[in-house]
Amino acid sequence: MNNKYILSHEDIEKAFRDAMNNGIPHGIECGLNNIDDCFRLDRGKLVVATGIPNMGKSEFIDFLCVQYNKLYGMRTLFFSPENQPIYLHIDKLYRKFEGARFDKAKLDDARSVAVRRYIYDNFLFFNYGHEYNVEQVISIAEEQVYATGIDILVIDSHNKLLHDITQNETDVIGRELDKLERFAKRMNIIVILVAHPRKMERKGEEYVIPSAYDINGSANFYNKADYVFTVHRNYKPNYTTVRVDKVKFNNYGGHGEISLGYNLVSGNYYDIPPMDDIFTRSNEVPPPPSEASFDLNAHAKS
């Protein structure tokens, strides 16, 4: 009997054979051991990132997208009103590729022009002169999957979307997350959604690092995502904490908390020893490694 709603024995057997022959997915490594040893994102997954405003969520997500592009040629579509005006977002991406700040004296140099063209080819941006609900973002992103081959959709942040305020907030958020999760699986892309926490408490002069259940609006952000992590910037000394509250399947990693150095010049992150070791020895974060300009011909988009 042909039933489109029930998987056939042949479909199930094919999926099982593929997994056994090719191996259980490991996830996509980003090139930093501290991150890759803790969690690895993968296609077909919904990722929720949170953190207190101005603590580096957008910067960290930009870093991941740039790393995936450098290593694998993956393209990203940004719905990122938080990263406005647009030239500031381009400047941040430019520094991550060049490992240095932009020099306006080199605005028309061949290398500078080539890097910017590379960014425009590999990173797409919504026109923020319009308003969008989640269905419109999904529809436009699907068009770009077919037209330009995007691999990642970033929505930064959830509160910049239009929402149906006539219905229960928890129900609305749950349906929106369901749509994003199904879209990620159907298009086989990564969807990264930024969601702000509620007003956070202080512990002395510092904020308490929020957890997944501190996200404003609904516990559905935790319940429905495949990954949930918090990005938190520390200033004395200068380093970033990434707290991973959820990795749905353990072949992609697990819960944990990692520390990363942050290069103030390039905006890139780098591996550092555990903070307990740093505080015990010198109370100083190791300086960033030297960064070379990215080879724009290092890979071809498959």
Side-chain angles (χ1 to χ4, degrees):
M1 182 176 67
N2 182 18
N3 189 331
K4 66 179 180 179
Y5 299 108
I6 302 297
L7 289 173
S8 68
H9 292 179
E10 292 78 13
D11 289 337
I12 298 171
E13 178 67 9
K14 181 180 182 304
F16 184 80
R17 283 180 173 273
D18 286 346
M20 294 304 102
N21 288 328
N22 299 320
I24 302 297
H26 173 76
I28 305 169
E29 296 187 350
C30 77
L32 292 190
N33 292 332
N34 287 2
I35 297 175
D36 295 334
D37 290 345
C38 186
F39 71 97
R40 299 163 299 278
L41 305 186
D42 205 1
R43 291 176 176 274
K45 301 294 186 290
L46 173 61
V47 182
V48 170
T50 191
I52 298 167
N54 299 317
M55 288 291 185
K57 298 185 297 298
S58 300
E59 191 82 359
F60 183 71
I61 290 167
D62 284 355
F63 171 76
L64 289 179
C65 294
V66 168
Q67 287 298 107
Y68 292 149
N69 178 266
K70 287 179 177 179
L71 294 171
Y72 315 108
M74 298 174 73
R75 291 192 176 109
T76 299
L77 171 61
F78 284 103
F79 173 81
S80 189
E82 298 279 4
N83 265 315
Q84 288 302 295
I86 189 65
Y87 64 80
L88 292 180
H89 201 174
I90 299 302
D91 178 63
K92 291 202 294 183
L93 297 174
Y94 182 96
R95 290 188 290 119
K96 285 175 170 53
F97 279 104
E98 286 295 83
R101 290 190 174 94
F102 182 79
D103 183 353
K104 67 178 181 180
K106 299 180 179 180
L107 181 64
D108 295 317
D109 284 5
R111 169 69 188 183
S112 177
V113 171
V115 172
R116 298 199 305 274
R117 286 178 177 171
Y118 181 88
I119 291 172
Y120 305 153
D121 286 341
N122 287 273
F123 299 87
L124 288 76
F125 306 87
F126 273 76
N127 179 349
Y128 305 123
H130 301 275
E131 293 183 313
Y132 306 90
N133 58 31
V134 71
E135 291 83 5
Q136 291 167 321
V137 168
I138 288 172
S139 176
I140 293 167
E142 182 169 350
E143 291 175 1
Q144 293 305 314
V145 171
Y146 293 116
T148 62
I150 64 161
D151 306 280
I152 305 167
L153 168 65
V154 173
I155 300 175
D156 185 7
S157 63
H158 178 262
N159 66 355
K160 296 295 184 180
L161 295 169
L162 292 175
H163 307 287
D164 186 350
I165 61 174
T166 64
Q167 299 187 36
N168 178 273
E169 181 182 33
T170 299
D171 293 341
V172 169
I173 291 173
R175 286 194 295 273
E176 290 175 341
L177 293 169
D178 285 338
K179 291 174 182 178
L180 290 170
E181 182 187 20
R182 288 196 296 269
F183 173 66
K185 288 178 170 54
R186 179 163 53 87
M187 291 289 103
N188 197 34
I189 69 171
I190 301 171
V191 175
I192 302 176
L193 175 67
V194 176
H196 292 303
R198 58 178 171 78
K199 186 177 180 180
M200 296 305 302
E201 300 175 359
R202 285 182 179 268
K203 187 176 182 180
E205 295 182 357
E206 299 181 353
Y207 282 103
V208 176
I209 301 177
S211 72
Y213 278 116
D214 290 317
I215 297 175
N216 189 41
S218 173
N220 281 325
F221 287 108
Y222 177 87
N223 297 334
K224 293 180 178 290
D226 295 293
Y227 305 77
V228 183
F229 59 78
T230 302
V231 180
H232 189 80
R233 178 84 178 275
N234 305 276
Y235 292 93
K236 296 179 182 180
N238 175 41
Y239 70 98
T240 292
T241 299
V242 180
R243 176 178 290 173
V244 182
D245 284 326
K246 181 180 181 181
V247 178
K248 190 172 184 179
F249 300 105
N250 60 16
N251 51 301
Y252 295 119
H255 300 183
E257 186 172 299
I258 59 176
S259 298
L260 301 170
Y262 176 68
N263 188 328
L264 291 168
V265 174
S266 68
N268 286 322
Y269 295 83
Y270 58 97
D271 286 324
I272 60 174
M275 290 310 298
D276 288 345
D277 293 349
I278 290 175
F279 287 135
T280 299
R281 289 182 298 181
S282 65
N283 201 32
E284 293 184 1
V285 174
S290 59
E291 297 184 23
S293 298
F294 177 64
D295 180 359
L296 300 180
N297 298 312
H299 55 68
K301 172 69 179 177
S302 62

